Amino acid sequence: MNTIPLVETLAPLALVMGALLLFGGVRYSRAGIIATVGATILYYLHWRITRTIPWSGGPGDLWWPLLCLTVELAALFDAAVLLAILSRPTDRSAEADTGEALLRTRWNENAENLPAVDVFIATYNEPRDVLEKTILGCLALNWPDARIWVLDDGRRQWVHDLCVAKGAGYINRPDNKGAKAGNINHALTLTTAPYVAVFDADFVPRRDFLLRTMGFFEDAKIGIVQIPHSFYNHDPMQTNLGLQQSMPDDQRFFFEAIMPGRDGWDASFCCGSNSVTRRKLFEDIGGGLPEGSITEDMLLTLASLRQGYVTRYLNEPLAYGLAAESTAAFFVQRQRWAQGAIQILYLKEGPLGPGLKLRHRLMFLPTAWITQGLQSAFAILMPILFMLFNLSPMIDVDLPALASYLLPLVLALLVGITLLAPGRYFPLAAQVLAVFQMFRILPVVLQTLIKPHGHAFKVTPKGSSAGGGNWESRVLFSCLFLIAASVAGMVANIGADYRIVAQDELLPMVSFWLLLSMLVMILVAMMCLEKPRIRGEERFEIQQPLSLLSDAGHMITSGKGDISLSGLGMEVAEPADLAIGERVQVVLPEVGIVRGFVRRTGRRIGIAFDFHSEDVRDRLIVWLFTNRIRVNAQRPSALAVAGAVIRRLWAADLTLQAGPLPVPEPEAPEIKLSAATRLVQPAAVRTLSTAGLEAEVALAAYTGAEQEPKRAA
């Protein structure tokens, strides 16, 4: 037994805590934090490899310790790559400012000074309530020659008619070969602009998207400009645990910490949507997107690196889309990502193929999909197997040894990464999500490792098609089984006479480990209970005073409340003198007058919109979705998020969703077009970037304002 004196036991832990306090608070140093974490990893590995493995034993003694060590080594390898990524984050906003100023100057001189951009909206089966927002948002882009194309791989008549009505171009094709990559490649053969912007069907760009991104192409080596995926709704973890106001969505760590870090190594990559690509890049790599993997965006980036191009990352929320709206949609999305990431390992165009620098090979290895699932599985199974079968991953280990070597490692990793990505990384929430994913993603990863190809491309269901059941039964029952096994393991080792574990001194530590695991699994089980999405449209915080005009001639103005495409909730200081059902008019900037009727009165006025024209509704969509959106914008501390997560155990809502929300009837019959290529040119003039004057005229007339109303830009 490796017995260590108390001072020697606590010294490593104290050194790690002191170094993290120094470099993370007293005098912030990214290099110091990384050096502290790196040194702790090496210190732990030396002990783990040389002192805890029964190297002189036979296969029966070695198989389990070596298996556990292999998983640890793989996880620590990925942790080392992550530390390297987080070591040099970039902030390209100043460059975007310079580029935007240059582009505006050229535009003012002559609009023809700015290049044409083909804007592709790739769609397959998304419903109208999702797709129309993206089409209208793209039509409102602030750019002189943006050619909006809807690439409809579903060959739906109503999509064709919607594009014609709104002025967007329409392209379909005879087959669905190559899935999304094939859809885009087909459109590339029919379009000619020197730059191509790509949006998924649910991502709505801000009006200044192209002005903020196109300036980067002044550098000839820039082949792709990527911006983050930001969301205007809440993901399943936020919704099912009731944490919408307590923490951001789970992708903030990736898009706001990892991707800026990758950009510092010229290793950021195209993420399939919210990007602009130089057409010459497509030409240089063979004419289009690689189709060897269902993650065509990753292969595109690797192909561009081999041609000497760089993907530049601008960490600004310039487009907003839908996060997975149900656990079923969540797993469809993540399983597709995992499959595609593993597939590229088997392709010569992947990270192991020729023509890449070592740093790019390391940073594009998709091993995190494997190690995250295995690490989560082993973290749960190891204490259970130890308690039930005396199966130990280490030999000759006692509490002082664990306190001297294991605890400093855990502290260094969790606190170090939190300090490197403040407001983006939340250890407890990350562990809950990792375990939640493990049950469904790890089997897919292992299956893809054995059979990398032949998997169908599944589109993430969105909007009214998101569906989802009342609960995620497979994950829920797995959690309940593991919780029961954990309890059984602790009960089995209570009495000394029938205790299973041979190393009595480890029981307190392993029992504590089991309690933490059970806490995580209880939270995972709560995530499996689908909460109802009671609103058909997402609501956004009111960001400026809005005015309401009643039929009786009263005007109410307030800047507090929320608004959606279907209605308005307005908070007022005094109860409003309005009757339920009364007709009102809401004056919205850049939109005009929106008619509606009162659904709720008092200090909180509820208005349901009743659109008198489709143009007004279109302008409201543009106003709501192409400006800055305050959803998922909070960046709390890791401790605040951990506290909020734990509090859910005491304030948990364990009721099930009564049933799926009713799917609205489609506005047009789902008529399929024949299998042939169709191309409808976009309208010559886009009209959605300006709004009418009726709101300002009405408000000026009512208030007696004598100033001339100005045209809204």
Side-chain angles (χ1 to χ4, degrees):
M1 188 73 65
N2 298 322
T3 304
I4 304 174
L6 180 61
V7 174
E8 191 175 335
T9 296
L10 299 179
L13 190 62
L15 283 173
V16 170
M17 292 176 61
L20 291 175
L21 179 62
L22 172 64
F23 297 126
V26 177
R27 185 175 181 179
Y28 187 83
S29 169
R30 189 171 294 270
I33 295 170
I34 292 171
T36 300
V37 178
T40 307
I41 292 174
L42 294 176
Y43 172 74
Y44 169 80
L45 285 178
H46 178 266
W47 168 77
R48 183 74 171 87
I49 294 171
T50 62
R51 306 282 292 276
T52 69
I53 304 296
W55 295 111
S56 59
D61 299 322
L62 276 171
W63 75 272
W64 179 243
L66 282 182
L67 182 59
C68 294
L69 177 63
T70 301
V71 172
E72 285 186 60
L73 290 174
L76 290 174
F77 168 79
D78 279 327
V81 173
L82 176 61
L83 290 173
I85 288 172
L86 296 178
S87 68
R88 52 196 306 182
T90 61
D91 182 353
R92 304 285 180 183
S93 291
E95 296 174 54
D97 293 341
T98 302
E100 180 179 359
L102 176 63
L103 294 171
R104 288 186 181 276
T105 299
R106 291 178 180 173
W107 192 352
N108 290 334
E109 293 172 353
N110 188 341
E112 295 182 358
N113 289 336
L114 299 187
V117 179
D118 284 320
V119 179
F120 290 170
I121 304 170
T123 177
Y124 174 64
N125 62 357
E126 293 81 6
R128 175 167 180 148
D129 60 299
V130 171
L131 185 57
E132 68 175 343
K133 296 180 178 71
T134 302
I135 293 174
L136 293 170
C138 288
L139 287 170
L141 280 167
N142 199 5
W143 193 259
D145 191 3
R147 306 166 186 178
I148 315 304
W149 301 94
V150 177
L151 316 184
D152 179 25
D153 245 10
R155 295 188 292 279
R156 294 159 291 175
Q157 180 70 54
W158 70 263
V159 177
H160 170 277
D161 297 343
L162 177 65
C163 293
V164 171
K166 303 303 180 186
Y170 177 87
I171 298 175
N172 68 5
R173 57 181 178 143
D175 55 45
N176 301 107
K177 182 181 178 182
K180 180 182 175 182
N183 192 11
I184 292 174
N185 288 342
H186 176 257
L188 287 171
T189 66
L190 302 175
T191 55
T192 59
Y195 297 91
V196 178
V198 177
F199 296 97
D200 284 346
D202 60 304
F203 273 97
V204 187
R206 271 176 29 184
R207 283 178 252 194
D208 59 348
F209 179 93
L210 292 175
L211 284 169
R212 298 294 294 169
T213 55
M214 287 294 293
F216 288 98
F217 291 106
E218 292 294 307
D219 185 345
K221 75 175 183 180
I222 303 302
I224 304 170
V225 177
Q226 177 69 52
I227 64 106
H229 290 190
S230 303
F231 305 108
Y232 60 82
N233 67 323
H234 297 104
D235 64 31
M237 183 174 186
Q238 294 171 296
T239 301
N240 293 350
L241 291 182
L243 298 173
Q244 296 94 326
Q245 307 307 319
S246 303
M247 71 177 188
D249 65 275
D250 72 278
Q251 295 191 51
R252 287 315 91 207
F253 179 53
F254 175 77
F255 281 110
E256 295 184 5
I258 292 178
M259 281 293 275
R262 295 181 69 100
D263 187 65
W265 294 95
D266 286 343
S268 58
F269 56 87
C270 176
C271 298
S273 182
N274 306 1
S275 65
V276 186
T277 303
R278 195 187 297 270
R279 185 178 288 264
K280 189 176 183 302
L281 186 158
F282 289 123
E283 297 169 353
D284 290 347
I285 66 174
L289 285 160
E291 297 182 17
S293 165
I294 56 178
T295 50
E296 73 291 331
D297 42 12
M298 186 82 73
L299 285 181
L300 171 64
T301 303
L302 290 170
S304 70
L305 285 170
R306 289 183 166 98
Q307 293 295 323
Y309 290 103
V310 171
T311 298
R312 186 58 67 226
Y313 185 73
L314 175 62
N315 187 19
E316 294 182 3
L318 299 176
Y320 298 91
L322 285 168
E325 298 168 89
S326 65
T327 55
F330 174 86
F331 283 124
V332 167
Q333 180 189 70
R334 301 303 165 93
Q335 287 173 345
R336 185 180 71 247
W337 292 354
Q339 286 175 342
I342 299 302
Q343 283 175 343
I344 69 173
L345 283 173
Y346 295 83
L347 301 174
K348 67 177 182 179
E349 300 90 354
L352 301 181
L356 288 177
K357 297 177 180 178
L358 177 61
R359 72 170 186 267
H360 291 144
R361 295 186 190 280
L362 292 175
M363 292 185 181
F364 280 92
L365 282 176
T367 50
W369 286 105
I370 306 170
T371 58
Q372 185 182 70
L374 287 176
Q375 183 182 17
S376 298
F378 273 68
I380 291 173
L381 290 175
M382 279 195 293
I384 294 175
L385 294 177
F386 178 72
M387 291 292 234
L388 291 178
F389 304 103
N390 195 32
L391 199 59
S392 176
M394 305 177 186
I395 63 165
D396 295 336
V397 176
D398 55 11
L399 281 177
L402 293 177
S404 181
Y405 294 99
L406 181 59
L407 285 185
L409 175 72
V410 173
L411 178 73
L413 285 172
L414 296 183
V415 177
I417 296 174
T418 301
L419 292 172
L420 293 171
R424 275 82 181 173
Y425 180 70
F426 312 104
L428 179 58
Q431 182 61 25
V432 171
L433 185 66
V435 173
F436 181 68
Q437 291 186 131
M438 172 197 73
F439 294 102
R440 295 285 296 272
I441 303 299
L442 183 58
V444 170
V445 168
L446 297 178
Q447 178 188 13
T448 308
L449 279 171
I450 299 170
K451 182 187 176 185
H453 300 291
H455 306 284
F457 184 97
K458 295 182 180 180
V459 177
T460 307
K462 298 287 186 179
S464 57
S465 300
N470 292 338
W471 55 340
E472 173 52 51
S473 58
R474 185 189 308 180
V475 177
L476 178 60
F477 287 130
S478 298
C479 281
L480 295 178
F481 172 79
L482 290 170
I483 291 171
S486 300
V487 173
M490 288 191 289
V491 171
N493 288 277
I494 291 177
D497 295 336
Y498 53 86
R499 184 169 294 161
I500 298 173
V501 172
Q503 296 174 274
D504 293 356
E505 67 276 6
L506 293 181
L507 280 175
M509 172 70 82
V510 178
S511 298
F512 180 70
W513 186 351
L514 280 174
L515 289 173
L516 289 179
S517 294
M518 285 192 288
L519 169 66
V520 169
M521 285 186 286
I522 290 171
L523 291 166
V524 170
M526 290 167 56
M527 282 185 65
C528 296
L529 305 180
E530 196 79 49
K531 297 305 174 199
R533 275 65 172 173
I534 58 176
R535 291 172 176 165
E537 294 287 345
E538 296 295 330
R539 288 182 173 263
F540 306 120
E541 178 185 346
I542 295 175
Q543 300 185 33
Q544 62 189 102
L546 303 180
S547 296
L548 183 152
L549 306 174
S550 71
D551 282 349
H554 299 113
M555 184 175 73
I556 301 172
T557 301
S558 175
K560 294 183 178 181
D562 50 47
I563 185 171
S564 74
L565 186 57
S566 59
L568 168 70
M570 181 181 287
E571 297 178 10
V572 293
E574 299 294 333
D577 186 17
L578 296 171
I580 302 297
E582 182 177 349
R583 306 293 300 185
V584 294
Q585 299 180 77
V586 181
V587 183
L588 300 177
E590 302 182 37
V591 178
I593 290 178
V594 181
R595 298 175 184 173
F597 55 90
V598 179
R599 296 289 298 272
R600 179 178 176 179
T601 187
R603 294 182 182 275
R604 170 84 178 186
I605 305 171
I607 306 296
F609 292 146
D610 181 19
F611 296 102
H612 57 283
S613 79
E614 191 170 346
D615 287 343
V616 172
R617 184 175 181 275
D618 288 352
R619 291 202 298 269
L620 178 57
I621 289 175
V622 171
W623 183 64
L624 286 176
F625 290 92
T626 64
N627 292 305
R628 185 176 293 275
I629 294 175
R630 292 181 182 175
V631 175
N632 290 309
Q634 67 272 32
R635 295 295 177 268
S637 69
L639 286 176
V641 170
V645 171
I646 292 173
R647 283 195 297 273
R648 300 313 299 161
L649 295 174
W650 280 266
D653 177 9
L654 300 181
T655 58
L656 291 175
Q657 178 174 320
L661 290 177
V663 177
E665 292 295 327
E667 296 189 20
E670 191 74 1
I671 301 172
K672 295 288 186 177
L673 298 171
S674 60
T677 294
R678 288 173 180 79
L679 185 147
V680 177
Q681 293 287 343
V685 178
R686 292 180 292 124
T687 59
L688 283 171
S689 58
T690 59
L693 296 174
E694 59 179 326
E696 293 182 65
V697 171
L699 186 58
Y702 182 84
T703 59
E706 299 180 358
Q707 58 185 7
E708 186 86 5
K710 298 178 181 179
R711 183 172 299 277

